[in-house]
Amino acid sequence: MLNLNDKNVHIVLIDDEQDELDAYQFLLESMGVRQITQVQDSLQALSILEQIPFPVVFLDLNMPQMSGQEVLAAIKERLPQIPVIICTANSEVETAVECLKLGAHDYLVKPINLNTFGSALRNALEIGALRKEVLSLKGIAFGERSYNSAAFGGIITRSPAMEGIFQYVEAIARSRQPALILGETGAGKELLARAIHVSSGVAGEFVAVDVSGLDDTLFSDTLFGHLKGAYTGASGGRSGLIEKAAGGTIFLDEIGDLSETSQVKLLRLLQEGIYYSLGSDTQKQCRARVVTATNHDLIGMAAQTRGFRRDLYYRLSTHLIKVPALRERREDIPLLVQHLVAEAATSLQKNPPAVSIPALELLLNHPFPGNIRELKTYIFDAVARCDNGELSAELFADRLTGAEAMAPVGTSPPPQAGSSLEALFGRFPTLDELTEFSVNQALTCSGNNQSQAARLLGISKQALHKRLKKRKELS
């Protein structure tokens, strides 16, 4: 149980209204908190926070000079270990989701009652304490760019963003708390999960499970095992994969597809560290570290209570890793091409062909919605068809048709001759026409998946849904 009057508990209140600051302070003091700092000028918030070790921040959104969202972004860039709880009268779901995506720990809508306030505070203090424990591990220094290359040998990169992730992975490796890896399909989430396992130096196995296709019974059976006769057809007992991963790491991929009932069981496993095999009333101790991954927007799903429990999200994301898409680290493409060409040639028992400059330029300009997995597909196909010792642009061109249309906003290469807006529309289009064109292209590229289309357009799913609904009403 957390002791709120502990001298290490320090709360920082950031709000431009003195009445609000005094009200929060009264609530905190009634709960036993003794160290409270009020900040009325948002411009001073960062410099004040830098002087306080591991505080919890309550932050208002509507402030002059520097908005709450700007303050939140600055905190998460400079002091990512600090839990930030948003307190605002703004009840719009989209605003809440944006704040959570920026790294907010929780989002409270005024008026805030004592129970909600206290629950959010205790949860943030627990997460803060875990992060403090990790950051205090001997030999960890976040200011230096150094890591053990052996653990990341399977990841081909020279991206500063990826090197920063490697450093973070090493920092959390020996923590036995859960880690959540977020990233698009094909971005290399399982490789990072394995890197966490290798960096931890544990003796147990790394066991990977794709939970996307498991119903509740199969999920329980796969993870927890069963006794003989536990269900029809259970002719013998079987240990679950958690037991197999004892002393090691169990990696649950596609965690965003887990059913609500299975989420409850996983939450209990994380909270209490125990589980029951099917057909058994004898509890077993979980001795495996849980690492999960998903390509879903769990932050948004949890914020909108749309199929994913918020409390489970907090448990899973004690340590959070966001893997950048390949289009966000294009400097890695030449290295990956060279590596994949050699790998493909070996598997096909051929000499590695050279890569022509036009072919490489074509690949560098492609947005790669399927990330490294997509690049690997193109490379293996091109190497298989290559018969003259050089990979030409023609070997890739047919697979990359429509690359410009599939590129997310801001990632398309500059338009070439013959591809101008005038050529596309027959005249210079209006802003509404461009918007409609972008929406149609995003829906086409995503197979009419509104969540993916919204990400391509750089807007929320709700905003896209409103636009489509309005379009339907006008048609």
Side-chain angles (χ1 to χ4, degrees), residues 71-89:
V71 174
L72 172 61
I75 292 173
K76 287 299 154 184
E77 181 179 354
R78 296 267 295 275
L79 304 164
Q81 75 278 11
I82 295 179
V84 179
I85 300 170
I86 301 296
C87 298
T88 179

Side-chain angles (χ1 to χ4, degrees), residues 381-395:
D381 180 61
V383 171
R385 292 188 290 132
C386 180
D387 56 8
N388 63 356
E390 181 179 78
L391 297 179
S392 65
E394 288 72 25
L395 288 172

Side-chain angles (χ1 to χ4, degrees), residues 258-272:
L258 209 57
S259 72
E260 187 173 351
T261 305
S262 295
Q263 288 181 41
V264 173
K265 293 180 179 179
L266 181 57
L267 179 62
R268 182 179 182 183
L269 176 75
L270 296 173
Q271 286 178 330
E272 302 177 18

Side-chain angles (χ1 to χ4, degrees), residues 47 132 151 167 231 240 249 255 262 320 323 330 379 421 445:
S47 59
K132 182 177 180 180
Q167 187 181 3
Y231 54 83
T249 304
I255 196 71
S262 295
L320 182 63
V323 187
R330 293 185 182 276
I379 295 293
L421 293 175
C445 295

